[in-house]
Amino acid sequence: MFARSIPRALHHVSRRRIQCENHFRFPLLSRVSQHSKAQSRQISTRAAAKKLFQEYPFSFSLACFLIVTGAGSLLYTTYVYNTYIVANLHNFPEPVANKLRRALFYSNQDVNPKKAVDYYRQALAVADEIGMDPFSDEILGTKIALAGFLEKVNQHQKAIDILEIVRADCKKWLQTTGKQEGRQADRTRVLAKTVAISVKLGDLYANEYIADKDTAGNNLIEGVEIALKEQKRREDEGTLDGEGPWMSNEEMGGALESLANHYEQKDMHYLATPLYLQCLALLPQTSCHAVVLMNNLSISLAQQIPPPTATVPPPSRPALVSSARTWAQKSLSIAGGIKPPERNEECDVGCAVATHNLGEFAEMDGDIAEARRRYEEAKGLSQAISFREGVERAEEGLGRVEKLAG
């Protein structure tokens, strides 16, 4: 079984009255003269271009290509600069924005890690000098963006170090300034950032470069606990004046899913299952991501071995496989009813994965004919969407059932 958790105004210049009079005094002559000159230049230019192409066909074609490419690159660079760099810095004072423009340029355009990091640090230093709030969205966002860039250039430990410092600062702020009257909205904002940073740290610690699964799990648990504790407080006490809304269902679901995936990777399926169920409760049941979650829940049910308890006996193996099959079939049913534009790659891959997993459930039950049928169907679906992993896993399954049948 396998799971898939799958950015001219024209300026009119008035002419002097005497120029207008001269123009209307000799309209025909003026137009003919201008037309003749323009036509002459056009013919001359065409002839010269034709002659150059005949004499130097390769060089002329290459020169035209380079000119067009250069012009296109210039237009694209200008568009990116104005859309993604200038437009996103309007909340910063100009001295800070100036440094950030350079940081973003060396992060995204002419990638130079040393210069990018240096300009990020300069921007933060200038922001501190001019008195910007260090816990504003702008400054916290800048620090998180710096960590994101370091991750992008494979400096994962440095990214972790920055996020650990930012989270520790947020926690201190929440215990001091965050408790002051009139700071309710800021407290909500900083607390949500703390949750997001914890989840991101869990992701960074879990990646192949750091591979510290235990620390990853601790960070994910901390993030989820903070989120659920605040949600419970609001349910019990009500939202206080000025606090504003807490995390959206999508944000809460993302934190829960990250922790569920962590447990799944550690083969702690009995802990992943309730988290996947909570995620599903927060999502529209007709979304493509719900299809993915149902698949993951199905896999978790089929593979779990709950620890024994003194009072409640664990469910039987056939019961768990039956529940897993039900969720896989439900994911297929929902995916089949989702049409474009809501339908996306998650639905297509989810269908292939669910079909494959139904083959594995049939194989577990000893139904070789059904298993073969599902694997063949999964292979066809995977080929249709160029899902290589799906094709490979389906072929492995077909190989197994052929051996069982033989």
Side-chain angles (χ1 to χ4, degrees), residues 73-234:
S73 299
L74 180 61
L75 289 171
Y76 175 74
T77 302
T78 303
Y79 169 78
V80 169
Y81 181 80
N82 286 300
T83 303
Y84 298 103
I85 297 181
V86 175
N88 290 330
L89 298 179
H90 62 276
N91 288 335
F92 291 88
E94 184 54 33
V96 181
N98 183 48
K99 300 295 183 183
L100 284 176
R101 287 188 196 99
R102 299 190 181 203
L104 292 170
F105 176 79
Y106 287 117
S107 299
N108 302 299
Q109 300 298 113
D110 183 14
V111 178
N112 185 318
K114 186 177 183 304
K115 288 185 177 181
V117 171
D118 186 49
Y119 278 117
Y120 271 119
R121 288 176 173 163
Q122 288 183 39
L124 291 169
V126 172
D128 186 55
E129 289 174 7
I130 65 179
M132 286 189 73
D133 181 358
F135 294 95
S136 65
D137 279 341
E138 289 77 18
I139 297 304
L140 289 175
T142 299
K143 293 175 181 178
I144 293 170
L146 172 56
F149 172 69
L150 289 170
E151 179 190 7
K152 175 183 171 182
V153 295
N154 295 324
Q155 296 186 29
H156 298 87
Q157 188 57 55
K158 289 183 178 179
I160 288 172
D161 293 342
I162 288 173
L163 291 179
E164 289 280 17
I165 292 170
V166 175
R167 184 175 60 173
D169 290 343
C170 286
K171 287 180 178 179
K172 290 178 184 176
W173 185 94
L174 288 166
Q175 293 302 315
T176 53
T177 309
K179 292 184 175 182
Q180 296 175 3
E181 187 62 32
R183 304 304 294 264
Q184 288 88 343
D186 290 333
R187 176 188 172 277
T188 298
R189 181 174 50 77
V190 174
L191 193 61
K193 282 282 194 299
T194 305
V195 173
I197 292 170
S198 296
V199 172
K200 183 59 185 176
L201 280 168
D203 176 57
L204 286 170
Y205 277 114
N207 71 28
E208 60 182 314
Y209 303 98
I210 305 297
D212 186 344
K213 303 292 185 184
D214 291 336
T215 305
N218 291 337
N219 279 280
L220 291 168
I221 290 170
E222 179 176 345
V224 168
E225 285 181 343
I226 293 171
L228 293 177
K229 183 179 178 181
E230 177 66 10
Q231 186 180 56
K232 181 72 165 55
R233 181 193 69 77
R234 288 172 177 239

Side-chain angles (χ1 to χ4, degrees), residues 35 121 129 343 353:
H35 177 71
R121 288 176 173 163
E129 289 174 7
R343 188 179 182 89
V353 171

Side-chain angles (χ1 to χ4, degrees), residues 216-380:
N218 291 337
N219 279 280
L220 291 168
I221 290 170
E222 179 176 345
V224 168
E225 285 181 343
I226 293 171
L228 293 177
K229 183 179 178 181
E230 177 66 10
Q231 186 180 56
K232 181 72 165 55
R233 181 193 69 77
R234 288 172 177 239
E235 289 172 355
D236 293 342
E237 302 174 8
T239 301
L240 303 178
D241 290 342
E243 280 190 319
W246 182 225
M247 295 170 63
S248 67
N249 285 348
E250 184 178 359
E251 292 167 333
M252 185 71 75
L256 293 170
E257 186 180 356
S258 294
L259 182 56
N261 290 339
H262 167 74
Y263 285 138
E264 191 75 14
Q265 290 165 8
K266 294 190 73 174
D267 290 329
M268 301 171 75
H269 306 288
Y270 64 97
L271 292 177
T273 298
L275 290 169
Y276 284 133
L277 281 168
Q278 284 183 278
C279 292
L280 279 169
L282 295 170
L283 276 179
Q285 295 298 292
T286 55
S287 71
C288 282
H289 197 62
V291 173
V292 173
L293 287 172
M294 288 177 190
N295 266 317
N296 291 347
L297 174 58
S298 167
I299 293 164
S300 183
L301 284 165
Q303 297 185 93
Q304 69 176 274
I305 304 175
T309 62
T311 56
V312 181
S316 66
R317 188 74 187 149
L320 288 170
V321 173
S322 177
S323 295
R325 182 183 293 108
T326 299
W327 280 106
Q329 290 169 338
K330 186 174 182 180
S331 73
L332 281 175
S333 175
I334 288 176
I338 300 175
K339 307 299 181 186
E342 287 77 19
R343 188 179 182 89
N344 57 33
E345 185 184 7
E346 281 190 316
C347 274
D348 297 333
V349 172
C351 283
V353 171
T355 304
H356 174 94
N357 290 337
L358 286 169
E360 292 212 15
F361 301 152
E363 188 178 344
M364 289 177 186
D365 289 341
D367 189 342
I368 302 304
E370 174 67 5
R372 181 186 292 110
R373 184 179 75 82
R374 289 292 188 179
Y375 287 142
E376 288 174 348
E377 186 181 352
K379 181 179 177 180

